[in-house]
Amino acid sequence: MTAWAEQVRETKWSGRLNTVHYMRDAVFFDGETAKVRAMHTRFWLLLLLASAIATAGIAADSTATVIGAMIVAPLMRPIQGTMLATVLGDHRNLVRSVVIMIAGATAAFGVGFVLGLLVQSPMTAETNAQIAGRVSPGLIDLFAALAVGVVGSIALIRSDISDTLPGVAIAISLVPPLCAAGLALESGEPAQAFGAVLLFSTNVAAILATGALIMGVFGYSRLRLEASEDKEAERRRRARTYLTMAALVLVVSGPLTWSTAHAIQNNSRITQIRQYVEAVAADSKWTIVSVTARENSMVHVLVKGTPPLPDVDAVYAAMADAGLDVDTIILEFVPSYTFDSDGARDSF
């Protein structure tokens, strides 16, 4: 243990900040053999249980169950350990935290995949709202993750707001995306599994990047600089740290930007299609039930009502004139009737 591990940088926040020793003890898997063994036992027990709870909650489409899994899940510890070890230049704990983080993420993914084998119906974005909300992350998810990462880092640093950590665990959502990815992959949807893993990676990158930044703002990163004999080398190490964290954010920003642009384009296209179908069906007894985007840019429009059919050719002609690819648009008209006790019949 270095001499500066018990220090707190003299700033206007002094007195409300935790020592480096406190934070090391909170996020590192380090110390006496018996203590480390107990840490690992607790971590893996809670992680496997949290993964099982999250998978069950996703399969049952139960938001409350998924939230419970978020609170139980201990993945925040090795992620914050990676951040703290990077800032402090602790290579041994950096490697240890990264290995535990990757192993834990793989285990959560594996639990989702294995339990998915027990679920009879496919677990995909089309059949499950919990999965649908996690397989198409966008830039808004990055912004939210950065904000939550800031709160989580401040909760670790400041002793007066550490009780916010359960809320951070819920907001950052680490285990559910991994379980959703396992379920989606088991159901034969690798693209959706990748999207869920991307959401997890976004959250991890946000925690690491904002954590390093907050540590600098509160003065912890300068403690090692002041204790170092080679200050120039220490400054270069700090610069590499910040550049690495910025690169992580940029790496996840690319696919998130593409996903956001793709979602905006799809929403615009769906809105146009809905407008054209509604215009043609306005004077008929047909009503749009749903407009759903599917794979390969296909759009399925489900319409219910009673014959006669509206002028379907006019719908396709209008959409083609507007520049829409009508070969990727499927209109499904389903006759539907309702009856009362007198035998009267009407459209659905």
Side-chain angles (χ1 to χ4, degrees), residues 306 336-348:
T306 55
S336 180
Y337 305 91
T338 57
F339 294 85
D340 58 24
S341 59
D342 297 326
R345 185 179 70 179
D346 200 358
S347 60
F348 180 77

Side-chain angles (χ1 to χ4, degrees), residues 46-291:
L46 289 179
L47 178 65
L48 293 176
L49 289 174
S51 301
I53 294 170
T55 303
I58 291 171
D61 198 5
S62 171
T63 301
T65 305
V66 174
I67 291 176
M70 295 178 190
I71 298 175
V72 175
L75 259 182
M76 191 77 164
R77 179 169 187 153
I79 297 173
Q80 286 192 316
T82 300
M83 177 273 295
L84 185 61
T86 302
V87 171
L88 300 181
D90 189 336
H91 184 266
R92 185 181 66 174
N93 277 304
L94 174 61
V95 173
R96 182 179 296 160
S97 295
V98 169
V99 169
I100 294 173
M101 176 180 65
I102 294 175
T106 303
F109 179 90
V111 169
F113 185 91
V114 171
L115 293 184
L117 296 171
L118 305 177
V119 181
Q120 294 184 350
S121 59
M123 290 288 104
T124 65
E126 290 75 25
T127 62
N128 187 283
Q130 295 291 334
I131 293 180
R134 292 179 170 88
V135 298
S136 300
L139 285 177
I140 191 66
D141 294 287
L142 175 60
F143 297 147
L146 289 171
V148 175
V150 169
V151 176
S153 300
I154 294 177
L156 174 66
I157 291 172
R158 288 186 53 164
S159 59
D160 56 338
I161 59 172
S162 58
D163 57 351
T164 63
L165 285 176
V168 173
I170 295 173
I172 200 64
S173 184
L174 295 170
V175 165
L178 294 169
C179 297
L183 285 170
L185 185 63
E186 191 281 328
S187 298
E189 293 289 349
Q192 293 183 13
F194 173 78
V197 172
L198 177 60
L199 176 59
F200 169 78
S201 302
T202 300
N203 293 336
V204 171
I207 295 172
L208 296 178
T210 55
L213 178 63
I214 295 301
M215 292 288 283
V217 170
F218 279 88
Y220 283 95
S221 59
R222 295 188 63 84
L223 292 174
R224 185 176 178 87
L225 175 64
E226 293 168 356
S228 176
E229 295 181 0
D230 190 345
K231 297 190 183 307
E232 187 60 33
E234 185 61 28
R235 288 192 181 92
R236 289 196 296 270
R237 187 196 67 80
R238 286 177 56 200
R240 288 196 300 271
T241 297
Y242 290 124
L243 286 174
T244 300
M245 298 304 178
L248 283 174
V249 174
L250 289 176
V251 166
V252 299
S253 295
L256 290 177
T257 301
W258 178 87
S259 178
T260 300
H262 185 67
I264 292 173
Q265 183 181 22
N266 267 347
N267 289 338
S268 175
R269 183 163 167 255
I270 288 174
T271 299
Q272 281 185 284
I273 294 171
R274 179 181 288 274
Q275 289 173 345
Y276 284 114
V277 177
E278 286 178 344
V280 174
D283 297 327
S284 68
K285 293 186 177 181
W286 294 89
T287 304
I288 294 178
V289 176
S290 64
V291 183

